[in-house]
């Protein structure tokens, strides 16, 4: 990974012909770590993501008394211990860590202080903290915003559980946080949702993983129930991160040629699997071949109207791609992206327009009209998905300087090398 403040995204000089290995799913890795920490025995989590967010989760669990051991092809995660000494958790700017770990602290026996980067203090958290308080958790606000870091969760040795209402419209992670911890509550947890959930696929992922670890989650519309129960799974293998694969998957649409992604699962709850249908709609082909998925570019790129409500994290890469469409496009259903690492809608509209694009915000998305792009700096706002979007722009526009490429280490520390290797024809590591 380069150390300079910007990276000039390479121009595609020819059709791509590459195999690219993407790292493990962040969403699956951090869910697996939480479930392993709540299990009765140790779990070997194979092929997990090794990135800043995953390391922050490991650090959080270690601070709360969980034994983490790096071994060949993975990490062994031991159950959380019970101790009375205080602990501190660094959240960085990791949403899954900020949301998944406070319930664990509420179930424990120590006071745990949570804080992180300045950006994490601005990201939505209070609905989850309010729900935990309704369930009996002892949580002390220590900053200027109630229900936001810095805060301390004072564990009292467990929680009875019961019924609670939750507004998870700002992030499906609020609901996932309660469901993942629910088996360790004395009577389990029943969550009644108020409002809409932004990402049904991530909820499906949480429910699927709970079942794999031995829980018995139930759903009836907007009501979820997870009874108390014993979790145990000796070994769990993490799928590749299909959202992180997005820039590589769309590259052949702009360059021609093909890209092969090994180990792409044929069945998955990951929202990134939607990319296969997008490629077909845009005139390309996405077919399972050998050990994974092969994507081949088509002809022209039509404008499209896309509701990305269920796959919001793909918005930066898709928006960059649609800048090269033959006609106007709209992206809708993603108002919740204003509360991610940055306000992604404002950032995309600002940065794409600064490079000559005709991009404007709507109430819940973006409107993108054809326009000639030019060289310039693409600011990334400490957002890993914006680095990936900048790389996509660089395929067709020379001189795109992507600011702070190191921020992509949140999900793919080797992204720049993998991207350069794809365009140079170098084999994957």
């Amino acid at each position: 990974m380069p150390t300079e403040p910007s990276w000039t995204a390479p121009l595609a000089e020819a059709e791509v012909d590459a195999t690219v290995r993407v790292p493990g799913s962040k969403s699956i890795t951090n869910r697996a770590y939480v479930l392993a920490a709540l299990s009765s025995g140790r779990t070997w989590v194979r092929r997990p993501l090794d990135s800043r967010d995953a390391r922050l989760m490991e650090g959080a669990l270690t601070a709360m008394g969980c034994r983490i051991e790096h071994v060949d092809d993975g990490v062994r995660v031991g159950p959380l211990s019970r101790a009375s000494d205080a602990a501190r958790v660094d959240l960085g700017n990791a949403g899954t860590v900020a949301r998944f770990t406070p319930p664990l602290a509420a179930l424990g026996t120590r006071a745990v202080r949570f804080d992180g980067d300045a950006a994490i203090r601005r990201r939505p958290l209070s609905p989850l903290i309010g729900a935990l308080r309704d369930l009996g958790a002892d949580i002390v606000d220590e900053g200027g915003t109630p229900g936001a870091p810095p805060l301390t969760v004072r564990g009292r040795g467990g929680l009875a559980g019961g019924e609670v209402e939750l507004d998870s419209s700002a992030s499906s992670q609020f609901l996932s946080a309660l469901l993942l911890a629910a088996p360790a509550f004395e009577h389990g947890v029943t969550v009644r949702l108020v409002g809409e959930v932004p990402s049904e696929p991530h909820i499906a992922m949480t429910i699927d993983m709970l079942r794999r670890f031995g829980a018995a989650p139930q759903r009836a519309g907007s009501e979820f129930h997870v009874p108390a129960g014993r979790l145990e799974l000796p070994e769990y293998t993490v799928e590749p991160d299909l959202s992180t694969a997005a820039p590589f998957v769309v590259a052949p649409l702009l360059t021609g040629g093909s890209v092969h992604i090994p180990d792409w699962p044929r069945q998955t709850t990951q929202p990134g699997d939607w990319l296969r249908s997008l490629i077909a709609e845009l005139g390309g082909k996405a077919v399972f071949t050998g050990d994974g998925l092969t994507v081949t570019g088509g002809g022209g790129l039509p404008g499209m109207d896309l509701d990305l409500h269920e796959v919001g994290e793909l918005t930066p890469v898709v928006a960059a791609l649609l800048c090269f469409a033959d006609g106007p496009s709209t992206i809708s259903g993603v108002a919740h992206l204003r509360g991610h690492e940055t306000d992604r809608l404002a950032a995309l509209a600002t940065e794409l327009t600064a490079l000559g694009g005709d991009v404007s915000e709507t109430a819940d998305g973006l409107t993108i009209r054809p326009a000639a792009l030019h060289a310039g700096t693409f600011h990334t706002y400490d957002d890993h998905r914006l680095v990936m979007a900048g790389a996509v722009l660089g395929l067709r526009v020379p001189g795109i300087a992507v600011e702070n490429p190191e921020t992509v280490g949140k999900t793919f520390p080797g992204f720049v090398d993998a991207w350069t290797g794809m365009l140079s024809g170098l084999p994957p590591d």
Side-chain angles (χ1 to χ4, degrees), residues 20 75 130 142 161 167 169 203 247 313 318 338-339 377:
V20 179
V75 176
E142 297 182 6
D167 182 352
S169 56
I203 299 306
E313 61 194 15
V318 172
R338 300 187 189 282
T377 298

Short mmCIF file of all heavy atoms in Angstrom, two decimals, residues 20 75 130 142 161 167 169 203 247 313 318 338-339 377:
data_model
loop_
_atom_site.label_atom_id
_atom_site.label_comp_id
_atom_site.label_asym_id
_atom_site.label_seq_id
_atom_site.Cartn_x
_atom_site.Cartn_y
_atom_site.Cartn_z
N VAL A 20 -8.70 -12.38 -9.59
CA VAL A 20 -8.52 -11.54 -8.42
C VAL A 20 -9.11 -12.24 -7.20
O VAL A 20 -10.30 -12.59 -7.20
CB VAL A 20 -9.19 -10.16 -8.60
CG1 VAL A 20 -9.00 -9.32 -7.34
CG2 VAL A 20 -8.64 -9.45 -9.82
N VAL A 75 -8.30 -17.73 12.69
CA VAL A 75 -8.21 -17.22 14.06
C VAL A 75 -9.05 -18.12 14.96
O VAL A 75 -10.18 -18.49 14.61
CB VAL A 75 -8.73 -15.78 14.14
CG1 VAL A 75 -8.74 -15.28 15.58
CG2 VAL A 75 -7.92 -14.85 13.26
N GLY A 130 -30.52 2.87 23.45
CA GLY A 130 -31.82 3.00 24.11
C GLY A 130 -32.48 1.65 24.32
O GLY A 130 -33.07 1.40 25.39
N GLU A 142 -20.83 9.68 28.33
CA GLU A 142 -19.67 10.45 28.77
C GLU A 142 -19.31 11.57 27.82
O GLU A 142 -18.36 12.31 28.05
CB GLU A 142 -18.47 9.51 28.95
CG GLU A 142 -18.69 8.47 30.03
CD GLU A 142 -17.48 7.58 30.24
OE1 GLU A 142 -16.43 7.84 29.65
OE2 GLU A 142 -17.60 6.61 31.02
N GLY A 161 -33.32 -10.09 29.68
CA GLY A 161 -33.86 -10.11 28.33
C GLY A 161 -35.33 -9.74 28.34
O GLY A 161 -35.81 -9.04 29.24
N ASP A 167 -36.00 1.00 16.68
CA ASP A 167 -35.98 1.66 15.37
C ASP A 167 -34.62 1.38 14.74
O ASP A 167 -33.61 1.92 15.15
CB ASP A 167 -36.19 3.16 15.53
CG ASP A 167 -36.24 3.89 14.19
OD1 ASP A 167 -35.96 3.25 13.15
OD2 ASP A 167 -36.53 5.10 14.18
N SER A 169 -34.06 1.73 11.41
CA SER A 169 -34.10 2.28 10.06
C SER A 169 -32.78 2.91 9.64
O SER A 169 -32.45 2.94 8.46
CB SER A 169 -35.23 3.30 9.93
OG SER A 169 -35.11 4.33 10.89
N ILE A 203 -29.83 -8.82 7.60
CA ILE A 203 -30.61 -9.48 8.64
C ILE A 203 -30.65 -10.98 8.36
O ILE A 203 -30.51 -11.81 9.28
CB ILE A 203 -32.03 -8.91 8.69
CG1 ILE A 203 -31.99 -7.41 9.03
CG2 ILE A 203 -32.87 -9.66 9.72
CD1 ILE A 203 -31.23 -7.07 10.28
N PRO A 247 -15.70 -3.45 -7.30
CA PRO A 247 -14.94 -2.74 -8.34
C PRO A 247 -14.31 -3.67 -9.37
O PRO A 247 -14.24 -3.34 -10.57
CB PRO A 247 -13.89 -1.95 -7.56
CG PRO A 247 -13.80 -2.62 -6.24
CD PRO A 247 -15.16 -3.17 -5.95
N GLU A 313 -24.38 -0.46 0.29
CA GLU A 313 -22.92 -0.33 0.36
C GLU A 313 -22.27 -0.39 -1.02
O GLU A 313 -21.10 -0.01 -1.19
CB GLU A 313 -22.34 -1.42 1.25
CG GLU A 313 -22.60 -2.83 0.78
CD GLU A 313 -22.29 -3.86 1.85
OE1 GLU A 313 -22.16 -3.49 3.03
OE2 GLU A 313 -22.22 -5.04 1.51
N VAL A 318 -21.19 1.63 -7.92
CA VAL A 318 -22.21 1.67 -8.96
C VAL A 318 -22.35 3.09 -9.51
O VAL A 318 -22.49 3.31 -10.72
CB VAL A 318 -23.55 1.15 -8.43
CG1 VAL A 318 -24.67 1.37 -9.44
CG2 VAL A 318 -23.43 -0.34 -8.09
N ARG A 338 -26.34 8.46 4.34
CA ARG A 338 -25.85 9.71 4.93
C ARG A 338 -25.25 9.48 6.31
O ARG A 338 -24.53 10.35 6.82
CB ARG A 338 -27.00 10.72 5.02
CG ARG A 338 -27.62 11.05 3.67
CD ARG A 338 -28.63 12.18 3.77
NE ARG A 338 -29.37 12.34 2.52
CZ ARG A 338 -28.89 12.94 1.43
NH1 ARG A 338 -27.67 13.45 1.46
NH2 ARG A 338 -29.62 13.06 0.34
N GLY A 339 -25.52 8.33 6.91
CA GLY A 339 -24.99 8.04 8.24
C GLY A 339 -23.91 6.99 8.24
O GLY A 339 -23.63 6.40 9.28
N THR A 377 -8.44 15.51 -8.38
CA THR A 377 -8.36 14.78 -7.12
C THR A 377 -9.75 14.30 -6.72
O THR A 377 -10.72 15.07 -6.73
CB THR A 377 -7.78 15.66 -6.01
OG1 THR A 377 -6.45 16.04 -6.37
CG2 THR A 377 -7.75 14.92 -4.69
#
